[in-house]
Amino acid sequence: MRKNEPESEQDIQLYEMMLNRRRWDRLQGYMAGITVPFICTLIDWPLRHVLGPASILMTYLLGVFLVASRYGRGASIIASLLSAPVFAFYFASPIFSFAISDLENIIGLGVMIVVANVTSNFLERVQLQAEISKQRENRANALYRLSQALSDAHNQQSVAGIAVSHIYDDFGALSVLLFPDQEFQLHYPSDIPLEHSLRGVDLQIAQQTYQQHTAKQTSKSTGPIAYYPLERSQTIQGVLAIESPAGADLASPELITFFDTFLNLISQTLERLNLTEKANNANLQAETESLRNALLSAISHDLRTPLTRIIGAGTALVENNADFSAEEKLDFNRVILDEAQRMSELTSKMLDMARLTAGEIILHQEWNALEEIVGSALNRLEKNIGTRPIRTLLPDHLPLLWIDAVLVEQVLTNLIENAIKYTPAGSPIDISAELSASNLTVNVSDYGFGIPQGMEEKVFDKFYRLESESHQGGVGLGLTLCRAIIEAHGGTIQAANQYGKGASFIINLPIHEPPTLNCFEEMAS
C-alpha cells in the first residue's frame, strides 16, 4: 500500500463533498426561482390599489434580477416564466384568471420576460468574467509564490520539495521529481519522502519519458499518473511524475497553460542550478590552476636558487676537496647551511599556509606578556638585524594577552624580517603599542619606500609580491600567514603608509579579562 493512500482517499471525499455542495446550490436556485414570484405577489397585493400594473411588473422584474445575481441564469429564467402567470392571475384584469384583456399588460409581461432574460445573461457574463479574473489572479499569485520559493533553492532536493508542495497546494495532486544519476538512470530522491510526495511510479515509463523527451501517461485506480520531461535548452533536467485525485482532470484546457508555466519555472530553476554548479566548478578549477602556477613559479624562483648554490658548493667540496683550505671549506659549509635553512623556512611557510587554508589551525592560548614576545622575536632575528636600530615603544603595565605566543611571535618575526629585507640598510624599525578600551594595537613601522598606492590590501594575498620585491627571496606567503594567525585570534591586521616613515603594519588584538590571582597561592609559591 502506498504511503500517501490516506491523502488520496481524503481528496476523493473532498471532491464528493464539493459535488454535493454544487447540487445543493443548484437546488436552492430553483427553489428561489419558484419562491420569489410569490414573495413579490405578497408584497404587491396590499398595494394593488395604489400601484399601477407597470409598477407591479417592475417589482417582479426586480425579483428576477435578484435571483439572477445570486443563483444565475437557470433560476432567473424559472422566476421570469413563473412571474408572468402569477401577475396575470392576481393583478391583470380580469383578476383570478389567467386571461389578460388589457393589451398594455400583455406587452408589459413580454417586455419583462425579455428584460429578465437579457439581464440574467448579462449578470452571468459579469460573474463569469469576475470568476475568470479571480482565477487568473490566484494563478498569478501561485506562480509568483512558486518563483519566489524557487529563487531561494540551492540544490535539486530543495527544488523537488518546493515543487511537490506547490503542486499539491495549487492542483491538489501528488507528485515527485525524478533525477538522473551519473549513468543517466532515473531514481527516487535519497531524502525522506515528503508529505505529499508520490510513491510507486513506474520508473521504466519515467526512463522512457527521459530518453524520448515526450510526456507519457498511465492509469491507476486512484487516478492517472502523467510523466512530464523537465526540458530546458534541449537538455532534460529530470522527470516530473504527477497523480491527480480521482475525478479531477489536470488536462482540462483552462489548466494546460497554467501547468505548463509551472513546469517551465521548475525546469528553468534546475537549469540555473546546473549552470551555476558548472560555473562554480570552472571558477574553482581556474583558481586552483592559478594557485598551482603561482606556487610553481614561486618554487622555481625561490627554491631553485638555494638548490643551485647548495649543489655548487657541495660539488666543489667533493671534486676539489684537497685544493681548499680549512677556512674555504668552512665558507662552503656555511653557504650550504644558510641555503638549506632558507629552503626550510620557505617550505615551512607553504606547509603552514596549507594548514591554515584548510582550517586546521589550532591555538594553544595562554596568558602572555607582549614585551616577552617582542623580545623573543628580536632575539630570533638577532643575526639578521645586525647593527640596524630597533626602537621599541611599549607602555608600562600592559595587560596580559590571551594568545598563542608561538604564532604571534611568528607574526612579529615575519613583519620585522620584511622590514629588514625591503628597507635601506641601517634604517631604523619602530615597534610600538597602544592600549584602548577593548583592543591592544601593535604597530611595526619602517623607514623604507612604503607600499604603492592601492596595494595595501593586495599585499596580503597568497603568492603576491611587489615588483620591487622580485629580487628578494620568499614565496609571498609571509603576510598571508600573518593575517590568518591574527584573525584566528579574533583580531585584525592592516597595512598603511605613515607620513615621514615607510610602511606600517597595524595589529589589533582583543583584550580579555585576566584571571584573578589568589594572594595565598602567591605567598605559597
Side-chain angles (χ1 to χ4, degrees):
M1 181 179 293
R2 294 187 300 111
K3 178 179 178 180
N4 289 321
E5 189 67 24
E7 284 85 0
S8 298
E9 293 178 357
Q10 184 179 6
D11 292 337
I12 295 173
Q13 293 176 359
L14 290 174
Y15 183 73
E16 292 177 351
M17 290 176 60
M18 184 175 63
L19 291 179
N20 294 333
R21 179 69 178 178
R22 289 180 180 177
R23 295 191 189 101
W24 172 245
D25 289 341
R26 192 180 297 111
L27 181 60
Q28 277 186 322
Y30 293 152
M31 292 174 61
I34 296 172
T35 304
V36 165
F38 293 101
I39 294 176
C40 293
T41 301
L42 292 176
I43 294 173
D44 292 333
W45 180 255
L47 304 174
R48 63 186 182 279
H49 299 296
V50 179
L51 300 177
S55 299
I56 295 174
L57 284 174
M58 291 300 294
T59 304
Y60 284 101
L61 182 60
L62 176 62
V64 174
F65 180 82
L66 294 176
V67 171
S69 63
R70 176 63 180 85
Y71 298 103
R73 183 173 58 180
S76 66
I77 290 177
I78 293 177
S80 63
L81 294 178
L82 188 59
S83 296
V86 170
F87 173 81
F89 187 80
Y90 287 100
F91 298 103
S93 180
I95 62 173
F96 305 119
S97 172
F98 291 107
I100 302 176
S101 59
D102 193 349
L103 180 61
E104 182 179 356
N105 291 335
I106 297 176
I107 295 175
L109 282 173
V111 171
M112 185 196 71
I113 294 175
V114 172
V115 171
N117 281 276
V118 171
T119 303
S120 62
N121 288 334
F122 176 74
L123 285 175
E124 187 176 25
R125 290 181 181 179
V126 170
Q127 291 175 347
L128 181 60
Q129 291 295 329
E131 184 178 353
I132 292 175
S133 299
K134 184 178 180 180
Q135 205 173 64
R136 288 176 178 174
E137 181 182 1
N138 292 336
R139 292 174 180 175
N141 290 334
L143 293 174
Y144 175 76
R145 292 193 303 270
L146 177 64
S147 63
Q148 287 293 103
L150 290 175
S151 65
D152 298 330
H154 55 277
N155 55 33
Q156 287 184 341
Q157 299 304 325
S158 58
V159 172
I162 293 170
V164 168
S165 176
H166 281 258
I167 288 176
Y168 183 82
D169 292 339
D170 296 315
F171 297 96
L174 304 178
S175 61
V176 64
L177 268 68
L178 306 174
F179 298 111
D181 54 20
Q182 296 181 350
E183 298 178 355
F184 303 102
Q185 296 296 317
L186 295 180
H187 56 82
Y188 275 104
S190 57
D191 292 352
I192 299 175
L194 302 172
E195 181 181 0
H196 306 300
S197 180
L198 176 63
R199 309 298 290 183
V201 301
D202 193 332
L203 291 178
Q204 185 176 359
I205 297 180
Q207 189 69 35
Q208 294 176 1
T209 302
Y210 177 76
Q211 294 175 348
Q212 299 175 6
H213 296 203
T214 55
K216 297 182 179 297
Q217 184 169 332
T218 59
S219 298
K220 293 184 66 176
S221 59
T222 54
I225 297 180
Y227 301 84
Y228 297 95
L230 299 174
E231 185 173 6
R232 190 76 181 177
S233 302
Q234 306 298 323
T235 303
I236 301 295
Q237 308 293 337
V239 172
L240 171 67
I242 179 171
E243 177 189 36
S244 59
D249 184 15
L250 293 181
S252 57
E254 62 271 13
L255 289 179
I256 290 178
T257 303
F258 183 40
F259 188 69
D260 285 345
T261 308
F262 252 68
L263 292 180
N264 288 332
L265 285 175
I266 297 171
S267 302
Q268 185 177 1
T269 303
L270 291 173
E271 182 186 37
R272 173 178 60 81
L273 292 176
N274 188 22
L275 294 177
T276 301
E277 183 180 2
K278 291 181 179 179
N280 291 337
N281 292 336
N283 291 335
L284 181 60
Q285 185 176 2
E287 183 178 356
T288 303
E289 185 69 17
S290 176
L291 290 175
R292 186 183 70 86
N293 292 336
L295 180 59
L296 290 176
S297 176
I299 291 176
S300 63
H301 179 274
D302 295 295
L303 295 184
R304 184 170 57 185
T305 300
L307 278 174
T308 302
R309 298 189 66 181
I310 291 173
I311 293 173
T315 302
L317 288 174
V318 171
E319 294 180 355
N320 304 299
N321 186 47
D323 299 336
F324 296 123
S325 64
E327 185 177 353
E328 290 174 333
K329 292 179 182 179
L330 181 60
D331 290 338
F332 279 118
N333 289 328
R334 285 175 179 172
V335 169
I336 294 173
L337 178 60
D338 291 341
E339 297 301 329
Q341 288 179 343
R342 181 181 171 188
M343 289 179 58
S344 177
E345 290 178 359
L346 294 175
T347 305
S348 297
K349 286 184 179 180
M350 287 186 288
L351 294 177
D352 290 341
M353 192 67 243
R355 285 195 295 268
L356 291 174
T357 304
E360 297 179 1
I361 182 171
I362 299 176
L363 299 179
H364 300 283
Q365 292 175 285
E366 294 179 349
W367 294 105
N368 293 276
L370 179 63
E371 298 90 339
E372 295 179 0
I373 297 176
V374 172
S376 178
L378 293 177
N379 290 333
R380 182 176 173 183
L381 294 172
E382 183 177 4
K383 180 180 177 181
N384 295 344
I385 293 174
T387 60
R388 182 188 292 262
I390 304 295
R391 301 184 296 195
T392 57
L393 306 173
L394 303 178
D396 296 333
H397 308 296
L398 285 176
L400 296 177
L401 298 175
W402 182 247
I403 56 175
D404 187 322
V406 175
L407 292 180
V408 175
E409 179 186 333
Q410 180 66 43
V411 171
L412 293 176
T413 301
N414 288 347
L415 296 179
I416 297 171
E417 191 176 26
N418 281 349
I420 295 172
K421 286 182 180 179
Y422 306 124
T423 57
S427 61
I429 297 174
D430 294 341
I431 304 175
S432 62
E434 182 179 352
L435 183 63
S436 63
S438 59
N439 290 315
L440 178 64
T441 302
V442 182
N443 196 328
V444 179
S445 304
D446 59 44
Y447 288 81
F449 300 103
I451 302 173
Q453 188 80 18
M455 294 290 107
E456 290 85 354
E457 281 296 317
K458 190 72 175 176
V459 294
F460 291 99
D461 291 349
K462 297 177 183 177
F463 306 113
Y464 179 78
R465 295 186 300 174
L466 298 174
E467 293 181 1
S468 60
E469 301 175 4
S470 59
H471 65 283
Q472 300 288 348
V475 292
L477 288 176
L479 294 178
T480 307
L481 280 170
C482 291
R483 170 161 284 183
I485 292 172
I486 295 300
E487 289 181 350
H489 283 82
T492 61
I493 181 172
Q494 297 174 339
N497 292 317
Q498 286 193 353
Y499 180 75
K501 295 185 178 182
S504 178
F505 290 90
I506 306 165
I507 301 172
N508 288 302
L509 290 172
I511 298 295
H512 299 276
E513 187 68 24
T516 57
L517 297 177
N518 192 317
C519 60
F520 295 104
E521 292 180 357
E522 290 183 348
M523 293 176 61
S525 62

